[in-house]
Each structure stands twice: as structure tokens, then as C-alpha cells.
Amino acid sequence: MSLPPDVHSAARVPAPPLDRYIEVLWYQRIPIYSAREVILPSPYIELIVNFGQPHKVFTRPDLSQFDWHRDYWLAGLQSQWLGIESSTSHMIGVRLKPGGAATFLRDDISKLSDRVTPLDAILGAEAATLRKELLAITDDETRFDVLENFLRARLDEARPGLDLALSTVARLEAAAGDLGIGDLAAILEVSHKHLIEVFTSTVGLRPKQFARVLRFASVLPDLLSDAAPDWAALAQRAGYHDQSHFNREFHDFSGLTPSQYLELRADYAGDYSEGDDTRFVPLG
């Protein structure tokens, strides 16, 4: 389908050493096809500077209460789905790899989990200065240059515990989340307690919870790629004990059954969905 003239998106992987901690820098100015959406958990933290209308972020599962987020915010690691609502999507963002946020932010990263935090509550006046500078730019590459320079100036690769946390993430990713804390501690030659404390404060979730999120997020692309999923085979490939285990985990993280997820995602059919994120589920 032909795209409306106001649709635009761009992305860039940052230069070293930022690429070790950042998955991608992205910019989008796209229509909203579903004003109210659910965002499912993923292993990424998102830093966002907003150029469009304010966004609602729901703070109760029944969507009866919400906070407004207007200019900039940081979406921490989520252990369950997050509801949002907006009339526009015009923003620039940083998708941080697991553990990456700890190289730019000084505090305990777990304090940012399961919530969306206004960026000025974390960065102070720097947040407004960054947004003002980005608003004055009209081309993608310069926007990304400004964002990279901002992040590079804050980069702290000497943060205590960072190497241990990143090593743990790498092993969990290689095992698709199927690696217990006892095995991790033995491999890394640290105590259970120390590993849990360092990982939680550096990545944002406890290792076991992060492993569950990792496994859940990895199954979504496979789920969408098959018009008639073989549920049992999919559950086995993802490392779940059986289909019932898969169904329980899916509902815990999304509030949906896998079939409901597919039905709701079908509402995006025919809309601008090239490169669409599998975490987003329209609610109408």
C-alpha cells in the first residue's frame, strides 16, 4: 500500500562503544491506527523524547487510572503488559540493551522497572535541553548525532558490577532464558546473593524474572510468522515445559491467550506495519 506523505521513520545503530549498550536509535512520525494499545514485556528499556501529543500510560489493569507523559520519559523493564493511549506517534527514542541503561544512569535500575518515569525526574534539566535541541533539527542523521553525543557524554563503562551483569545477560540470551540461578552463579563463580543483587540493580529485574521475559519476548515473532501455529511445537521450541506452561506464562505477561493475541494483532492488517514491533497489541 502507498503510505501517507506525513509518514516517516528512521533508525541507526550507534557507533562503538555505544553499540555495546544500545540496540538502536529510532525516529518515527507515523499515524496512530489504534489509539489505545497494550505493550508487552521485552528485555529492552526505552528512552523516549516526544514531539507529538501527550501519551496516557495506564496504571491499573482495568485501565481506569492513568498518568500523562508529555515531553520525555523512560519506560523501564516491564514484568507485565503496559497500556498506553495517544492520538499521535511522533518521537525519537533509544532502545537500550539489557544492562545498557546502567552505563548512562547512576541509580539502581530496578527502581525504574514496571513503570514509566518522566525523564526530567532522572536527568533533571538535561532532559529539557536535549528535547529543545532535537526539536530544532529537521534531518535524521543530525538528530541521531545529537542523541549519540548526549549519550556518549554520560557513558560510564566502569560502573561496579556491569561486567558481571552483562556476562549473565549473555548467558541467559544464549540459553534462551533456560538457565537457573544456581548454574549461572557456578559458571560465573559468584554467590547466588551477589549475582541476584548485582543483576537486579544493573539490569532492572531479578535474573529469574528477566529470563522469563526473555523467553516470552522471543516467542512473539514465531507466533506471528505462522498463520496456523502448532502450539505444542512452538511451546517446545521456546523452552516451555508443555503447552499449558506456555499458555500460563503468556497470560501472565500479556493478560491474553495466544489466540487472543493473534486476533487482536490482525486488526493491524492493511495498516502501516512494515517493521512493526510484535510487542504492540491494539485495543481499539
Side-chain angles (χ1 to χ4, degrees), residues 91-245:
M91 56 185 63
I92 191 168
V94 181
R95 181 165 299 167
L96 293 152
K97 292 181 177 180
T103 63
F104 307 107
L105 309 176
R106 311 294 183 243
D107 294 334
D108 181 343
I109 302 303
S110 68
K111 294 179 180 178
L112 303 171
S113 298
D114 285 315
R115 69 191 64 196
V116 176
T117 304
L119 200 55
D120 55 354
I122 304 169
L123 301 180
E126 288 184 82
T129 301
L130 175 64
R131 183 175 185 271
K132 183 178 180 180
E133 188 171 0
L134 290 169
L135 272 171
I137 301 169
T138 58
D139 68 283
D140 297 328
E141 292 307 309
T142 306
R143 286 190 194 99
F144 290 144
D145 287 344
V146 167
L147 204 48
E148 278 199 42
N149 290 338
F150 175 82
L151 293 163
R152 192 174 289 110
R154 295 189 60 85
L155 183 63
D156 178 13
E157 295 183 280
R159 174 166 170 149
L162 179 64
D163 288 340
L164 174 60
L166 294 181
S167 295
T168 307
V169 168
R171 283 167 171 78
L172 285 171
E173 289 178 335
D178 190 18
L179 192 58
I181 185 66
D183 293 329
L184 283 167
I187 292 169
L188 296 166
E189 300 181 334
V190 294
S191 70
H192 291 194
K193 181 181 179 181
H194 181 66
L195 179 57
I196 291 171
E197 288 177 350
V198 169
F199 189 92
T200 304
S201 64
T202 308
V203 177
L205 295 175
R206 293 168 68 88
K208 183 176 180 180
Q209 187 74 350
F210 177 81
R212 291 178 62 213
V213 169
L214 199 64
R215 180 185 295 163
F216 168 77
S218 71
V219 83
L220 296 180
D222 288 344
L223 191 57
L224 289 173
S225 67
D226 193 339
D230 181 333
W231 301 113
L234 190 148
Q236 184 178 34
R237 286 199 308 271
Y240 292 100
H241 300 313
D242 52 33
Q243 188 175 337
S244 295
H245 181 209

Side-chain angles (χ1 to χ4, degrees), residues 26 28 30 32 34-42 46 48 55 73 75 81-86 88-89 91 95 216 220 224 254 256 260-268 272-273 275-283:
W26 55 268
Q28 67 179 32
I30 62 174
I32 292 287
S34 178
R36 184 172 289 184
E37 296 176 303
V38 163
I39 306 177
L40 304 184
S42 84
E46 300 272 0
I48 293 170
H55 284 227
W73 56 84
W81 61 267
L82 182 72
I84 62 169
E85 182 178 317
S86 181
T88 63
S89 185
M91 56 185 63
R95 181 165 299 167
F216 168 77
L220 296 180
L224 289 173
S254 68
L256 303 167
Q260 287 172 330
Y261 169 77
L262 291 179
E263 290 170 6
L264 290 168
R265 283 283 307 190
D267 289 346
Y268 280 141
Y272 176 61
S273 58
D276 186 45
D277 196 319
T278 58
R279 297 175 302 163
F280 286 78
V281 183
L283 293 181

